[in-house]
Amino acid sequence: MCGIVGYIGTRKACPILIEGLKRLEYRGYDSAGIAVLNDGRIDIHKATGKLMALEAMLESGMPEGFIGLGHTRWATHGRPSDENAHPHSDCTGRITVVHNGIIENYLALKEELVAAGHEFTSETDTEVVAHLVEESYKGDLVAAVRSAIKRLEGSYALAVMAQDDPERIVAARRHSPLVVGVGEGENFLASDVPAFLQYTKRVHFVEDNMIAVLERGEVKFSSLDGKPIEREVYEVTWDAAMAERGGYEHFMLKEINEQPQALRETMRERLSSQVSKVDLPGLTLTSDDLRGIDKITMIACGTAYHAAMVGKYAIESLVRIPVELDVASELRYRDPIIDDKTLGIIISQSGETADTLAGLREVRGKGAKLLAITNVVGSSVARECENVLYTFAGPEIAVASTKAYTTQLMVIHLIALYLAQVRGSISEEQAKQMRKILWTIPQQADVILGDHPEVLACAEKYYNHNGFLYMGRGPNLASALEGALKIKEISYIHAEGYAAGEMKHGPIAMIDPSVATVAVAPQGKTYDKIISNILEVKARQGDVIAIAYEHDDQIQKYADHVIRIPATHELMSPILAAIPLQLLAYYVAKNRGLEIDQPRNLAKSVTVE
Ligand code: M6R
């Protein structure tokens, strides 16, 4: 994880680096640091803890200079400390490096470098890069970086600056994200676009095994063996305001509230009216390709995996094709049965999750056709899949995923309906009905967000509870898992999600007055069963919060609290159920006085395996 930034131009580098780091802090916040080249020397400042610690340190004076690097860290090798904070330097302090990724062979390299007389000052894997560049540096920084990275195993997005070569930044990438922002007489680099969005929307996405050299007036790309490479410039559609809190106390709350609009954007052009058929512009898979598929494998991590779980229900029910699900970190080690009749659906908000990318490559290697669902244009997942359907959620900054999840669900339902259309697996009458129901989801999301006193009452009553159990059935098993994940990650309360029918096989032993149970219970095939499960909890003195439809006039007899959502099709109900679950997690964490956008130990984009 970690976030890196770089700037070369005519403005003072330090404020630009700090602003950029603020927008990348979601990637890690164990420490932060900057290096600015000024008057022939590199001035480094770093501090343990969140960026505000570094900002406080810089209050007494920011380094001058028009070229610099910055870093915000999610610790892997070496605890969070000033010594382990980036940037890292060589023995002379003339070369400095920031890095995102893991250098897997760093111990062997470190031993070799120490034997050659290099002195290390940190426990990080990154520091070997600075010393390797020092070893090879004979006045040409690009050549030195090239020869250093040939020695590296693992993943990296690196940026290097040298005191003796003050007119450029050299960057390189392998399996960690890196983008270059193109300005007028200035250029930027970063792990993610929002870092420089206020200055430019013109970007180059750096590919694996590529070197980028940033000077004030130009950016050049080359391969590891020095061959020049032409790169296309993309125009990013996000704007800087989208990556701001916009008056909300937290990004998470802003992003929860953005869901109706994000859902509309994601649906637009694909379902242009309630009477039109589903269209998936940009899909290169032909109708024949789609008719030839005999299995779907969905791969994702975390919240995106929960979206895949809903996808299994929707696709199997409407298209009648078997859908396999895999947590990406497991898939590649189980030798899955995949061939050219398999469609691999890869789901990732960031498009940079290392496990998901490894899973993608595994299924591609076995001949599957690929379709990505991602939120980030130009991300690795988007570039490595021949078919991409974007979730138009806009930048998601809070670590806890909200609008990315519900828009992933929207895309999944569109895919299910499109496949059903192409394969004729449901009648046109049924398809029409389903499309109508999907069409109303964004306005129903608006209703949920309008007023939610019961969510606030539950958050007030239960924020000090010892634990939460979440239960659901059918597609809402995913809602139970997602609800539990949300509350765990931002409120640090122990929570588990279960298939409601599994409660009696173990989890029910946890029930006592200090554990609250959230039952996701929209009316559908298994409504009566979940009512029985609620009663089982009540019989053991557990409090129950039910998420139920507005018109359900039974459930209040059984549950202590009922949070209402508008009625929809059972398969689509996880989209609406997600919203009160997100709000509940948010307000519980807020009542506990916690750091909602940057929960401990986590990072937004998990670019290490
Ligand atoms: O960017 P991705 O969708 O690939 O990220 C996957 C998970 O890391 C992510 O969903 C994570 O579980 C969220 N923090 C959950 O809120």
Side-chain angles (χ1 to χ4, degrees), residues 86-152:
H86 298 217
H88 289 289
S89 302
D90 69 327
C91 298
T92 65
R94 304 174 82 80
I95 292 163
T96 194
V97 176
V98 289
H99 167 223
N100 165 214
I102 291 182
I103 309 300
E104 286 166 3
N105 59 338
Y106 87 102
L107 273 179
L109 292 170
K110 188 167 178 176
E111 269 173 31
E112 178 189 318
L113 288 158
V114 168
H118 288 263
E119 283 179 22
F120 281 72
T121 56
S122 78
E123 303 158 301
T124 65
D125 51 337
T126 304
E127 197 182 341
V128 297
V129 182
H131 294 277
L132 280 174
V133 175
E134 178 188 6
E135 275 285 299
S136 324
Y137 187 66
K138 308 275 179 295
D140 180 346
L141 185 61
V142 185
V145 170
R146 188 169 283 129
S147 103
I149 60 179
K150 283 186 180 158
R151 305 282 323 275
L152 304 181

Side-chain angles (χ1 to χ4, degrees), residues 188-201:
F188 306 79
L189 69 84
S191 302
D192 196 1
V193 171
F196 51 67
L197 211 45
Q198 55 181 315
Y199 303 106
T200 182
K201 290 181 172 190

Side-chain angles (χ1 to χ4, degrees), residues 333-350:
Y333 301 107
R334 76 168 178 88
D335 196 13
I337 302 164
I338 284 168
D339 59 25
D340 60 355
K341 289 195 164 153
T342 306
L343 174 65
I345 301 187
I346 320 297
I347 312 175
S348 172
Q349 184 283 130
S350 62

Side-chain angles (χ1 to χ4, degrees), residues 73 75-85 123:
R73 179 169 187 243
T76 57
H77 295 57
R79 73 206 146 85
S81 68
D82 289 358
E83 296 74 42
N84 291 332
E123 303 158 301

Side-chain angles (χ1 to χ4, degrees), residues 497-540:
Y498 282 99
E502 279 289 293
M503 290 288 284
K504 57 187 175 292
H505 298 289
I508 204 161
M510 302 283 296
I511 301 294
D512 70 23
S514 73
V515 173
T517 298
V518 180
V520 187
Q523 281 151 321
K525 267 189 212 156
T526 53
Y527 179 72
D528 291 344
K529 302 275 176 211
I530 203 158
I531 293 292
S532 304
N533 302 131
I534 290 174
L535 289 171
E536 286 155 16
V537 174
K538 289 302 304 165
R540 286 154 183 89

Side-chain angles (χ1 to χ4, degrees), residues 301-304 347-353 356 399-401 408 482 485-486 489 602-606:
C301 300
T303 288
I347 312 175
S348 172
Q349 184 283 130
S350 62
E352 298 295 347
T353 300
T356 306
V399 167
S401 188
Q408 283 161 0
E482 177 59 9
L485 178 62
K486 285 290 88 89
E489 51 178 353
L602 293 175
K604 178 87 183 149
S605 181
V606 187

Side-chain angles (χ1 to χ4, degrees), residues 261-576:
Q261 186 53 19
L263 287 163
R264 275 186 197 102
E265 280 300 310
T266 301
M267 198 163 64
R268 205 163 58 91
E269 289 190 5
R270 296 167 176 159
L271 186 59
S272 46
S273 75
Q274 33 179 330
V275 288
S276 52
K277 287 198 167 185
V278 175
D279 187 15
L280 297 179
L283 196 74
T284 59
L285 288 163
T286 63
S287 298
D288 278 347
D289 289 335
L290 295 175
R291 280 190 282 265
I293 288 162
D294 65 8
K295 188 173 89 177
I296 292 179
T297 289
M298 300 180 100
I299 306 164
C301 300
T303 288
Y305 179 77
H306 300 152
M309 289 176 71
V310 177
K312 178 177 169 71
Y313 279 92
I315 295 172
E316 287 189 342
S317 156
L318 300 179
V319 192
R320 308 305 299 157
I321 302 182
V323 179
E324 248 177 30
L325 298 181
D326 265 291
V327 168
S329 54
E330 288 297 320
L331 172 108
R332 56 195 299 224
Y333 301 107
R334 76 168 178 88
D335 196 13
I337 302 164
I338 284 168
D339 59 25
D340 60 355
K341 289 195 164 153
T342 306
L343 174 65
I345 301 187
I346 320 297
I347 312 175
S348 172
Q349 184 283 130
S350 62
E352 298 295 347
T353 300
D355 287 326
T356 306
L357 278 164
L360 177 166
R361 291 170 190 144
E362 177 74 20
V363 294
R364 187 180 52 204
K366 289 179 180 279
K369 297 174 178 66
L370 294 184
L371 168 57
I373 302 174
T374 182
N375 195 35
V376 181
V377 176
S379 59
S380 301
V381 165
R383 281 178 292 128
E384 292 196 30
C385 288
E386 57 269 26
N387 291 277
V388 185
L389 294 175
Y390 289 103
T391 49
F392 294 105
E396 192 182 66
I397 310 287
V399 167
S401 188
T402 53
K403 60 178 180 172
Y405 176 62
T406 47
T407 53
Q408 283 161 0
L409 294 180
M410 174 58 80
V411 173
I412 282 166
H413 285 295
L414 290 164
I415 293 173
L417 287 172
Y418 187 74
L419 285 174
Q421 213 167 271
V422 169
R423 295 169 64 111
S425 53
I426 54 174
S427 69
E428 179 45 25
E429 201 38 51
Q430 193 187 351
K432 218 158 127 191
Q433 191 61 20
M434 297 291 288
R435 292 194 297 259
K436 251 177 140 170
I437 297 172
L438 192 60
W439 175 260
T440 58
I441 291 275
Q443 75 211 47
Q444 292 179 314
D446 263 326
V447 171
I448 300 173
L449 287 163
D451 207 6
H452 33 264
E454 203 59 22
V455 174
L456 299 178
C458 291
E460 187 57 39
K461 182 166 168 191
Y462 298 109
Y463 78 91
N464 260 333
H465 258 44
N466 289 346
F468 281 88
L469 284 173
Y470 286 72
M471 59 181 185
R473 285 174 174 260
N476 283 303
L477 167 56
S479 307
L481 296 180
E482 177 59 9
L485 178 62
K486 285 290 88 89
I487 209 148
K488 271 188 277 210
E489 51 178 353
I490 61 167
S491 74
Y492 318 143
I493 297 177
H494 181 236
E496 295 301 336
Y498 282 99
E502 279 289 293
M503 290 288 284
K504 57 187 175 292
H505 298 289
I508 204 161
M510 302 283 296
I511 301 294
D512 70 23
S514 73
V515 173
T517 298
V518 180
V520 187
Q523 281 151 321
K525 267 189 212 156
T526 53
Y527 179 72
D528 291 344
K529 302 275 176 211
I530 203 158
I531 293 292
S532 304
N533 302 131
I534 290 174
L535 289 171
E536 286 155 16
V537 174
K538 289 302 304 165
R540 286 154 183 89
Q541 279 88 50
D543 269 18
V544 175
I545 305 166
I547 311 283
Y549 285 153
E550 271 160 0
H551 63 262
D552 180 343
D553 54 6
Q554 295 300 309
I555 200 148
Q556 66 274 19
K557 294 185 207 150
Y558 314 112
D560 299 274
H561 297 272
V562 184
I563 298 173
R564 304 283 177 176
I565 57 172
T568 182
H569 192 284
E570 189 176 6
L571 289 172
M572 293 165 191
S573 61
I575 310 183
L576 298 179

Side-chain angles (χ1 to χ4, degrees), residues 56-67:
M57 180 186 272
L58 293 173
E59 263 166 23
S60 53
M62 287 202 176
E64 304 284 325
F66 306 95
I67 159 169

